[in-house]
């Protein structure tokens, strides 16, 4: 008996019935494109390279791929909710942004300082990268995934080796290029590899689970679990733990009382984003933070002190905020940014802006419930793994990073988000292609 694909990659989950078979053409009907393979293959190759050399380089592949796929904006309807929410957030950002007095627009450095302008340009460039994942044909996804898999496994092995040897390869390459680096700084540099690997971990696990590749799963898991321990990177470890917890919960309970689990998670994230600045302010007023600081290691103590100061200042202008990218003006109390997405958004954009950021997260998480839910059913069991837990786990990892580590407007961090979404969609489609191929045998 042949197995049948019941629902496509980017359609809503439907019950296994005859009506569910027809929409499969929406996915299988996407035609392979040599142009897409070249552009997106180059982006993936540079993604792997930048993960080792410097994550700051993520801006390059995401921007160029987005520009070369700019025409995909015509298919923005596949993520209409997130696009609308992003547009509203950008409008508020522009309203709360400012241009430095006496700015010389004939000087390129002036444009580099206009973070609000770069934020808008990133939206223009990065959204097509996400849409490309939805418009990718199954053969193209499988072709790209094969090459990316080997590169990701090599990177995972390299990250593990570098962590255990304290950046031996990185320092050797730096020495050979005439740019020697101190051992402690080299370890900090290679610790950043764990962030990129963590963002592709769950999509890769979905693909390996579908192909039955056990050794790659062991290598990738060992890399994301062990490397941060030896490099002192706390956030990737917390992201792994939090995402694994979400994965287990969503895999056990896909729905609760007839409602998709992603809707519950979306509401929880919405509440956390809006409530965290209030929680910090309340904990400060109650004196809880004073007691907590006595038990924190230096890095976490610094974070809490930054959050505490920022929360106190943001409630001086709770509705409108101090203005876009104004966190820097609170130095030295806030070095560059508050290292927390809700606190930074509330401080700079007020609770109006924070609500818009929370809505963006809410609609993005709920979008996971609509795609991809392709299933291959046999008379007795489900053969294709539900990708929803893997995608929610990936979003959890990014949320942890945004919550603990990086600035909300950092270009490379947003580029990582866009490329991670593409990789997740590519892995899902490649997994479906594997099953469809096996179905023909």
């Amino acid at each position: 008996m042949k197995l049948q694909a019941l629902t496509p990659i980017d359609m809503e989950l439907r019950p296994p019935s005859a009506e569910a078979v027809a929409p499969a053409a929406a996915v299988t009907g996407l035609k392979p494109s040599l142009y897409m393979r070249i552009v997106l293959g180059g982006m993936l190759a540079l993604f792997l390279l930048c993960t080792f050399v410097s994550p700051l380089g993520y801006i390059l592949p995401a921007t160029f791929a987005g520009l070369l796929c700019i025409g995909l904006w015509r298919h923005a309807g596949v993520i209409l909710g997130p696009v609308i929410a992003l547009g509203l957030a950008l409008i508020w950002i522009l309203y709360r942004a400012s241009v430095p007095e006496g700015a010389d627009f004939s000087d390129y450095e002036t444009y580099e300082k206009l973070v609000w302008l770069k934020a808008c340009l990133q939206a223009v460039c990065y959204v097509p990268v996400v849409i490309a994942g939805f418009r990718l044909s199954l053969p193209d996804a499988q072709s790209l995934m094969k090459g990316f898999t080997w590169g990701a496994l090599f990177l995972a092995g390299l990250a593990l080796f570098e962590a255990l040897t304290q950046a031996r390869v990185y320092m050797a390459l730096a020495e050979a290029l005439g740019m020697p680096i101190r051992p402690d700084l080299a370890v900090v540099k290679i610790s950043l590899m764990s962030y990129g690997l963590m963002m592709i971990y769950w999509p890769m696990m979905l693909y390996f689970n579908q192909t039955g590749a056990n050794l790659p799963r062991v290598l990738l898991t060992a890399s994301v679990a062990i490397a941060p321990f030896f490099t002192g990177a706390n956030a990737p470890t917390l992201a792994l733990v939090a995402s694994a917890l979400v994965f287990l919960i969503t895999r056990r309970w896909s729905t609760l009382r007839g409602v998709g689990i992603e809707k519950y998670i979306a509401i929880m994230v919405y509440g956390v984003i809006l409530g965290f600045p209030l929680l910090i302010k309340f904990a400060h007023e109650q004196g809880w933070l004073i007691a907590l600081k006595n038990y924190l290691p230096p890095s976490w103590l610094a974070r809490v002190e930054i959050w505490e100061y920022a929360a106190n200042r943001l409630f001086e202008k709770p509705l409108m905020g101090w203005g876009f990218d104004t966190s820097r003006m609170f130095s030295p109390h806030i070095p560059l940014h508050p290292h927390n997405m809700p606190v930074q958004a509330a401080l700079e954009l007020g609770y109006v802006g924070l609500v818009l950021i929370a809505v963006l997260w809410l609609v993005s998480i709920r979008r996971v419930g609509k795609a991809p839910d392709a299933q291959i059913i046999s008379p007795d069991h489900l053969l294709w793994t539900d990708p929803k837990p893997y995608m929610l786990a990936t979003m959890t990892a990014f949320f942890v990073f945004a919550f603990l580590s990086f600035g909300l407007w950092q270009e490379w961090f947003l580029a990582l988000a866009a490329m991670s979404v593409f990789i997740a969609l590519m892995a899902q489609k490649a997994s479906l292609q594997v099953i469809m191929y096996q179905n023909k045998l």
Side-chain angles (χ1 to χ4, degrees):
M1 176 183 292
K2 277 195 173 185
L3 306 179
Q4 183 118 32
L6 295 184
T7 53
I9 279 288
D10 45 11
M11 291 292 183
E12 295 185 11
L13 179 62
R14 294 187 174 96
S17 63
E19 291 80 2
V21 178
V27 172
T28 58
L30 294 175
K31 296 180 180 180
S33 169
L34 178 61
Y35 177 81
M36 292 285 282
R37 287 201 301 273
I38 292 175
V39 171
L40 299 172
M43 182 189 75
L44 293 173
L46 287 175
F47 170 86
L48 294 171
L49 177 63
C50 292
T51 300
F52 174 67
V53 176
S54 174
L56 295 177
Y58 286 149
I59 303 168
L60 179 65
T63 300
F64 275 97
L67 289 174
L68 292 173
C69 296
I70 198 71
L72 291 178
W73 265 102
R74 67 185 184 275
H75 300 294
V78 295
I79 50 171
L80 183 60
V83 166
I84 293 175
L86 176 62
L88 293 174
L90 288 174
I91 290 173
W92 184 251
I93 285 173
L94 291 175
Y95 179 70
R96 298 300 296 137
S98 61
V99 177
E101 294 185 9
D104 181 9
F105 287 97
S106 64
D107 184 5
Y108 174 76
E109 292 296 327
T110 299
Y111 296 95
E112 276 291 326
K113 296 176 182 179
L114 299 178
V115 181
W116 56 267
L117 176 61
K118 290 191 286 185
C120 294
L121 293 176
Q122 287 171 79
V124 171
C125 294
Y126 296 169
V127 170
V129 173
V130 174
I131 298 173
F134 288 94
R135 299 298 302 172
L136 196 64
S137 70
L138 298 187
D140 285 349
Q142 178 68 358
S143 177
L144 290 170
M145 194 66 191
K146 286 180 179 178
F148 184 75
T149 296
W150 286 107
L153 291 176
F154 175 80
L155 188 66
L158 180 60
L160 189 57
F161 177 82
E162 287 288 82
L164 296 175
T165 61
Q166 296 294 284
R168 178 181 297 179
V169 174
Y170 193 94
M171 286 194 295
L173 289 175
E175 185 73 28
L177 294 173
M179 297 182 293
I181 185 172
R182 290 191 349 234
D184 57 328
L185 293 180
V187 171
V188 172
K189 294 289 186 181
I190 64 106
S191 71
L192 296 176
M193 295 175 65
S194 297
Y195 293 90
L197 286 171
M198 188 64 242
M199 287 304 300
I200 66 172
Y201 174 74
W202 291 107
M204 297 299 296
M205 293 300 284
L206 169 63
Y207 182 70
F208 293 149
N209 183 63
Q210 202 57 65
T211 57
N214 292 322
L215 187 59
R217 275 188 284 193
V218 172
L219 175 59
L220 190 57
T221 301
S223 182
V224 298
I226 297 174
F229 177 79
F230 286 93
T231 59
N234 296 321
T237 300
L238 292 174
L240 178 61
V241 172
S243 61
L245 181 61
V246 169
F247 173 79
L248 293 174
I249 292 174
T250 54
R251 190 163 189 175
R252 173 62 180 84
W253 295 283
S254 180
T255 60
L256 288 175
R257 297 184 177 181
V259 178
I261 190 67
E262 74 283 351
K263 294 182 180 180
Y264 292 101
I265 294 176
I267 294 173
M268 288 177 60
V269 169
Y270 183 84
V272 169
I273 292 175
L274 295 184
F276 189 76
L278 292 168
L279 176 63
I280 294 296
K281 177 67 172 176
F282 181 76
H284 167 75
E285 293 176 347
Q286 298 298 315
W288 297 345
L289 294 181
I290 297 176
L292 179 64
K293 292 176 185 178
N294 296 326
Y295 302 97
L296 295 175
S299 61
W300 286 97
L301 175 62
R303 282 185 176 91
V304 170
E305 288 180 342
I306 292 171
W307 299 345
E308 184 178 18
Y309 177 83
N312 287 327
R313 296 307 302 266
L314 77 86
F315 282 103
E316 295 176 16
K317 298 183 179 181
L319 187 63
M320 306 289 285
W322 288 83
F324 180 72
D325 200 38
T326 51
S327 294
R328 300 171 186 268
M329 78 178 194
F330 294 106
S331 179
H333 302 286
I334 301 177
L336 297 181
H337 53 78
H339 297 269
N340 181 274
M341 174 183 60
V343 171
Q344 181 177 359
L347 178 66
E348 298 180 4
L349 303 176
Y351 256 81
V352 174
L354 186 61
V355 168
L356 294 174
I357 297 295
V359 168
L360 176 58
W361 271 93
L362 185 146
V363 296
S364 298
I365 294 173
R366 291 192 60 176
R367 181 65 180 85
V368 174
K370 297 181 180 180
D373 281 308
Q375 295 179 9
I376 306 294
I377 306 290
S378 73
D380 53 350
H381 65 285
L382 183 70
L383 295 182
W384 197 66
T385 306
D386 180 10
K388 187 188 299 184
Y390 295 85
M391 301 306 104
L392 290 173
T394 301
M395 297 187 76
T396 300
F398 184 78
F399 185 81
V400 171
F401 293 152
F403 208 86
L404 298 176
S405 296
F406 304 114
L408 188 55
W409 321 121
Q410 287 185 286
E411 296 96 325
W412 73 269
F413 188 49
L414 298 176
L416 172 62
M419 291 189 290
S420 297
V421 173
F422 171 81
I423 292 168
L425 293 169
M426 175 184 69
Q428 295 169 30
K429 291 194 172 185
S431 299
L432 180 57
Q433 179 71 355
V434 168
I435 289 298
M436 293 182 68
Y437 174 75
Q438 294 172 350
N439 186 27
K440 295 177 182 178
L441 296 180

